[in-house]
Amino acid sequence: SEDRGRFNMNLRYNVKKVTGLSIGVNTNMMDVKGGLFFLWKNADSAYCPNDIQKYKNKRFNVDPFIIYFFGDGNKLSLRSRYFLTLNTNDKNQESTAELFYSELQYQKRFKKDFTISTGLVYMEQQIFSDSLFGRHTGKNYAGYLQMDKKIKKLTASLGMRIERYEVDTAYTRGYIKLGKKVINDMAVQHVYRAGLNYKLFNYTFLRASYGQG
């Protein structure tokens, strides 16, 4: 069985003195209490629940943002997140985890349904669980560029992302191929993505995608 309580709130304010500028914050909180069990208590009591764990989980995130529309089809946004999870149970398997996320993005919409999006991302995670996972820290730095073009019923996307990961003492060792030459042990790694979306009929689409990670 499981009981859940949830609260969420979204706030947004349009700054009257600056046309196109808005600020806001979204938040969500959830409290979960429950138990895990087998429907087999023992060899002589099949289909009788046998409790194996009682748990309590808490989730909380707050997402502040700033969005600014300016000029002809320009959009600048800054989005952040703090996410906290608290897990406890009666089996000494507690864990606490935090996530920090921030993304700065610039988007330009041109005429003839052509859009360019570019941005920077920073993300950091921490987990504290001496009784289960131990203590670990991860970081991600990234920059990306994506182009989207719509031609009648077809929408095409092409993007590239350059990123670096760090987990405790491990870190990205990237590579790049230049003809027959390969450069190894780079501090970052580049990845690509591409996508096609074709509208066959109303509410019917044909999609294809390719991505690296």
Side-chain angles (χ1 to χ4, degrees), residues 58-71:
K58 297 181 184 296
R59 304 284 188 272
F60 168 75
N61 69 273
V62 56
D63 305 342
F65 64 87
I66 303 174
I67 300 176
Y68 181 43
F69 292 92
F70 62 97

Side-chain angles (χ1 to χ4, degrees), residues 73 157 162 207:
S157 299
I162 299 175
R207 295 177 178 177

Side-chain angles (χ1 to χ4, degrees), residues 75-92:
K75 176 184 176 183
L76 185 65
S77 62
L78 176 62
R79 298 181 181 274
S80 298
R81 163 169 286 193
Y82 172 72
F83 183 33
L84 173 68
T85 63
L86 302 171
N87 302 310
T88 60
N89 58 39
D90 59 356
K91 302 299 181 184
N92 192 32

Side-chain angles (χ1 to χ4, degrees), residues 188-205:
V188 296
Q189 179 62 52
H190 60 284
V191 292
Y192 299 98
R193 69 170 303 272
L196 295 173
N197 188 329
Y198 185 77
K199 184 177 180 181
L200 291 173
F201 315 104
N202 287 335
Y203 312 109
T204 304
F205 297 85

Side-chain angles (χ1 to χ4, degrees), residues 55-196:
Y55 59 83
K56 295 181 180 180
N57 300 331
K58 297 181 184 296
R59 304 284 188 272
F60 168 75
N61 69 273
V62 56
D63 305 342
F65 64 87
I66 303 174
I67 300 176
Y68 181 43
F69 292 92
F70 62 97
D72 185 13
N74 297 286
K75 176 184 176 183
L76 185 65
S77 62
L78 176 62
R79 298 181 181 274
S80 298
R81 163 169 286 193
Y82 172 72
F83 183 33
L84 173 68
T85 63
L86 302 171
N87 302 310
T88 60
N89 58 39
D90 59 356
K91 302 299 181 184
N92 192 32
Q93 296 174 336
E94 292 78 11
S95 68
T96 299
E98 292 180 308
L99 181 144
F100 305 89
Y101 179 89
S102 186
E103 178 181 2
L104 177 64
Q105 183 188 84
Y106 169 71
Q107 187 176 82
K108 172 66 175 179
R109 294 183 181 274
F110 297 90
K111 296 180 180 179
K112 297 183 179 181
D113 295 318
F114 179 59
T115 303
I116 291 180
S117 304
T118 185
L120 299 172
V121 174
Y122 173 74
M123 181 168 58
E124 180 176 343
Q125 313 93 28
Q126 301 180 76
I127 185 169
F128 309 95
S129 178
D130 292 337
S131 62
L132 189 60
F133 304 115
R135 299 193 172 204
H136 304 281
T137 300
K139 295 180 180 180
N140 174 231
Y141 312 84
Y144 64 87
L145 173 68
Q146 178 168 310
M147 296 174 288
D148 299 277
K149 173 65 177 176
K150 186 175 181 180
I151 305 172
K152 296 183 179 180
K153 295 184 178 182
L154 177 67
T155 301
S157 299
L158 180 65
M160 182 182 72
R161 182 181 176 101
I162 299 175
E163 57 189 0
R164 174 180 173 85
Y165 279 97
E166 298 176 2
V167 179
D168 294 338
T169 59
Y171 55 88
T172 294
R173 291 180 173 87
Y175 71 92
I176 186 172
K177 292 183 178 180
L178 300 174
K180 295 182 179 181
K181 184 179 180 180
V182 179
I183 301 176
N184 295 304
D185 293 327
M186 296 179 60
V188 296
Q189 179 62 52
H190 60 284
V191 292
Y192 299 98
R193 69 170 303 272
L196 295 173

